[in-house]
Amino acid sequence: MSESTAQATFGGGCFWCIEAAFEELAGVERAVSGYAGGDVADPTYQEVCSGTTGHAEVVQVTYDPGQLDYADLLEVFFAVHDPTTEDRQGPDVGSQYRSAVFYHDEDQHETVEAFVDELEREGVYEGIVTEIAPLETFYPAEEYHQDYFEKNPDQPYCTVNVAPKVRKVREKFGDRVTAD
């Protein structure tokens, strides 16, 4: 990570969905699927899926703060998942699919707390259950999970669950989407 980039880590259900959504944004240099928030070192996908490691499926986003800021990332994150369902996103159920923001520093912590407070005050969501916690360790997921939607756009899970999130980002945040 260079001085001109920053990182943010989000969990909003299956990491394939969140990764693909963030990869649409101009200023995002990388989005890496992985695991955070648990108590087992270097967990595997199978271990995380068992629900016994405490980890959430997350995406670590490396971005250029000169092109978009942390609040922009929060806006997209809260738009593409449901922060009111505990341990569930769509068909994915378990603590590994919880809504979570793992902040990297105190500025991110203050920003996400204020952002969630504003969403609640404005009535955008009722009963936000998003975990807000410091990032302790991020473990990249196995290689076959990286860029999954890009590599498997016609896979049934992707067409039903990932593609609508990507469309939503393109429609709602078109001014921030990369030109391909």
Side-chain angles (χ1 to χ4, degrees):
M1 187 169 74
S2 72
E3 282 186 36
S4 63
T5 61
Q7 288 186 320
T9 304
F10 304 101
C14 176
F15 43 36
W16 300 339
C17 296
I18 302 301
E19 179 192 77
F22 279 119
E23 286 179 336
E24 291 293 306
L25 300 175
V28 169
E29 295 183 4
R30 275 182 10 167
V32 177
S33 290
Y35 316 109
D39 54 12
V40 171
D42 203 22
T44 65
Y45 179 67
Q46 288 73 23
E47 289 171 330
V48 172
C49 284
S50 76
T52 61
T53 70
H55 291 88
E57 288 192 13
V58 299
V59 174
Q60 189 160 84
V61 179
T62 302
Y63 65 100
D64 176 355
Q67 288 191 276
L68 73 165
D69 60 26
Y70 186 65
D72 293 326
L73 297 175
L74 289 170
E75 185 179 0
V76 171
F77 173 66
F78 280 95
V80 298
H81 88 293
D82 182 350
T84 68
T85 56
E86 191 167 348
D87 296 342
R88 179 185 193 125
Q89 289 296 309
D92 302 314
V93 179
S95 63
Q96 68 271 29
Y97 300 114
R98 67 189 180 269
S99 174
V101 175
F102 293 98
Y103 56 87
H104 290 238
D105 57 35
E106 197 52 37
D107 285 342
Q108 285 186 359
H109 183 203
E110 291 172 10
T111 301
V112 69
E113 291 281 0
F115 193 89
V116 168
D117 288 347
E118 184 67 19
L119 288 174
E120 289 177 334
R121 195 170 31 262
E122 291 179 358
V124 176
Y125 296 104
E126 187 174 314
I128 293 174
V129 297
T130 302
E131 173 186 2
I132 299 171
L135 177 69
E136 293 181 13
T137 306
F138 170 78
Y139 297 101
E142 296 80 354
E143 184 55 38
Y144 70 92
H145 288 296
Q146 307 305 328
D147 300 310
Y148 193 86
F149 179 64
E150 181 182 327
K151 295 173 187 171
N152 303 281
D154 297 323
Q155 194 260 10
Y157 182 94
C158 290
T159 59
V160 171
N161 297 290
V162 184
K165 293 179 186 293
V166 169
R167 275 193 305 276
K168 185 172 193 174
V169 169
R170 290 176 183 169
E171 292 166 6
K172 186 169 181 161
F173 304 102
D175 61 327
R176 299 182 214 164
V177 171
T178 59
D180 286 334

